[in-house]
Amino acid sequence: MVSTRELRETEFLRDFHESELSDLAGIAAHTRWKEGETIFHAGAPAAALYLLRVGTILLCFPNGRSMPLRDEGHAVGWSSLVSPFRYTATAVCLSDVRLYEFSGRELYRLIQMNALFGQRLMQKIAQIMEQRDRYRRGTPVSFGRD
Amino acid sequence: MYGLKAISAANGWTITFTGLAIVFTGLVVLAAIMANMERFLALWDRRGELLAGFKHPPRKQPFLVQEPRTDRPEAPTTDKTRVHLPLDQIEVADHFHLITNRLGEPFSLAQLLEKASKHGLSSPHRHLDTFLKLGIIVEDSGDRQGFYTWANDVEIVRSSAEE
Amino acid sequence: MEYLLDFWGNTGFGLADYRHFIMIAVGIVFIYLGIVKHYEPLLLVPIGFGILMGNVPVFKGLGLGIYESGSVLSYLYFGVHQGIYPPLIFLGIGAMTDFSYMLAQPRLMLLGAAAQVGIFLTFLAALAMGFLPREAASIGIIGGADGPTAIFLSAKLAPHLVGPIAIAAYSYMALVPVIQPPIMYLLTTREERLIRMPDPRPVSRREKIIFPVIGFLSCCFLAPAALPLLGMLFFGNLLKECLVADRLALTARTALIDIVTILLGITVGASTQADVFLTAKSVGIFLLGAASFMVATASGILFAKLVNVFATNKINPILGAAGVSAVPDSARVVQLVGNREDPGNYLLMHAMAPNIAGVIGSAIGAGVLWSFMM
């Protein structure tokens, strides 16, 4: 069971309203992953959005680029809210990782219920997309001999 | 009154064209200002430099001060950061070096992990996390953002407790 | 027996006619959609219950109805017909909106302006259908797809139409995913929908702080009548971006906007009394509202195509549909349609630019219409 207080302390959700946090807490789940485990694969149907609590995740894009996420509060799995609802990167745990997991379908239901919450959430998602787009869109580069 | 007569009687055409012109002008002016804002701010940041140019115009004849010439090459900077690692991590770093020598620099972390796992290296993910945290492996920039290189300014040394 | 008959005559059952029951049914449908279908419950539940409150027939002269002076509802309704609530909602919207997508790509702001063509063409159509100029202006603003702006302008120009206009505006905003895609497909080719947009540049904090000040001054000097809406929108945004007034920004985007939404919803609902709402004019308003929304969508798309004739860096024309504001739904629809054609094309962050510019554009449009009708 995830508490509203825990979510409030997450950077990603800091400016969300108490009632919205309580709705989010209702659909959130704690998940734990071991070092080396893959949280999701690029191209797989995107079912959940995750917020990082502890640990390091490496996002590996199909073009060979990658991006480590270390700070608490990073969101991964934005594709669960944006069509075509397929992950654009593979998320691999570089250490033991603890995450909050939110079902994409449940999140979408909350967005439909509350337009202002939807606006705030989608703005944040758009920011993340913009930041990661540089990694996703970069062309594959071959530097080596292998 | 209905139809075009009603529109003309209420000055509908004038209101529509003027209204649209005002909405467009408002957003065009705002877009033009904001499109140039970065440039205005850059000029503002250089205001001291630019004003100095006005106050003390540059001399017409270049005023050169000849530095005494020395044939000695500039001493290379040797201030490398020392990172202390236990022996097992140094071995992993060496192994990673072997892999990246084959991959070429900058390299893809996903490929590095894949090769390291194939070579049977234990806990490659954890070690990679450590190397990234300590700045031993660093991200490239520009077009190569998302690819990584070994940091030039880091020297790996064995932890003193183990020596 | 006579007393009993008198009593019966003074009850709601005695005073009601079929129109009251129709409106009560509408109110129950709104509440049902809000609670069971989770369809914009923060708006539909208060409006639905307000419809019930406004349509319990009461004895005139007891000071109970929303249109009777001195009644509690009339005091609450004061905020609607004096245009107090919409600017407060704009304050909250400003305090939660990130303008950086728009600042990163200023040319996309023009799509937000183009979509406002819908407002003015609907204004002309309403005039042609026999509506009075002030009523026509209030109906036209439905095409701005901005509930608070529609309520603000109709409260100022045609207070008797606030109910139908507000309900039409919110209904069409909720129908964005149904109304917009067919128009996008109709007006664009597959090649156009495949256009990818360049990465937006990063926007500095200084630019974000300067923007609300410059935006407010440039827009309100041009259309001073938009001052109540745009002043509050940009003020809210300054509170958000300056970071030193975070407490105020937090209150504006949470507690304040919630309180005003409750008051606005319940009073707009209560203003739909059967005798005021169930008229031929309301039917006309709903028809024109739908047309207004479609024209606004089409105008944004066609303007983007026009820009592409001259521009070297082409714009994906479906971004024009996001110019109708309706934040964030129309931006999501643009993303959905673009993505169907090319799964690797992410238009959401680009669509947020005309989407937010549309909010500014519709407020300027409202200000312009208000000043012409004064």
Side-chain angles (χ1 to χ4, degrees), chain C residues 173-248:
Chain C
M173 279 162 62
L175 289 174
V176 162
V178 180
I179 296 175
Q180 289 199 317
I183 302 172
M184 292 183 193
Y185 284 113
L186 192 70
L187 296 178
T188 56
T189 61
R190 183 162 189 275
E191 285 68 37
E192 286 173 325
R193 294 194 291 275
L194 284 172
I195 294 175
R196 289 193 175 201
M197 300 292 293
D199 289 340
R201 70 172 176 84
V203 176
S204 69
R205 195 178 149 228
R206 274 196 304 182
E207 284 175 89
K208 288 187 193 178
I209 292 174
I210 291 168
F211 170 72
V213 178
I214 300 268
F216 167 68
L217 292 175
S218 66
C219 293
C220 290
F221 265 86
L222 198 66
L227 193 143
L229 292 173
L230 288 181
M232 292 304 236
L233 179 79
F234 287 123
F235 172 55
N237 191 246
L238 181 63
L239 290 180
K240 173 183 181 279
E241 297 299 349
C242 71
L243 301 182
V244 292
D246 206 39
R247 260 176 53 198
L248 302 187

Side-chain angles (χ1 to χ4, degrees), chain B residues 33-93:
Chain B
I33 295 174
M34 293 320 296
N36 291 297
M37 183 55 69
E38 217 184 358
R39 255 173 268 168
F40 291 141
L41 288 175
L43 279 178
W44 175 255
D45 290 340
R46 288 179 51 219
R47 65 191 181 281
E49 214 178 292
L50 294 169
L51 287 174
F54 280 116
K55 282 178 190 163
H56 310 289
R59 292 161 194 268
K60 281 185 180 167
Q61 292 293 319
F63 186 77
L64 295 173
V65 176
Q66 197 74 38
E67 289 282 335
R69 211 188 133 146
T70 57
D71 287 335
R72 273 182 300 171
E74 276 184 34
T77 49
T78 54
D79 47 345
K80 282 196 171 184
T81 314
R82 287 184 150 208
V83 175
H84 296 265
L85 292 180
L87 186 60
D88 64 323
Q89 285 197 337
I90 293 178
E91 283 173 359
V92 173

Side-chain angles (χ1 to χ4, degrees), chain A residues 137, chain C residues 108 195-199 314-316 319 347 350:
Chain A
R137 275 163 71 146
Chain C
L108 296 184
I195 294 175
R196 289 193 175 201
M197 300 292 293
D199 289 340
K314 305 285 184 211
I315 297 172
N316 188 320
L319 289 175
L347 294 170
H350 305 287

Side-chain angles (χ1 to χ4, degrees), chain C residues 99-136:
Chain C
F99 283 98
S100 52
Y101 311 105
M102 200 178 81
L103 300 181
Q105 307 166 87
R107 69 181 181 144
L108 296 184
M109 286 169 76
L110 301 184
L111 304 184
Q116 309 316 316
V117 169
I119 294 178
F120 292 96
L121 291 188
T122 312
F123 164 67
L124 291 179
L127 282 176
M129 280 175 69
F131 282 95
L132 297 172
R134 285 172 155 245
E135 293 174 339

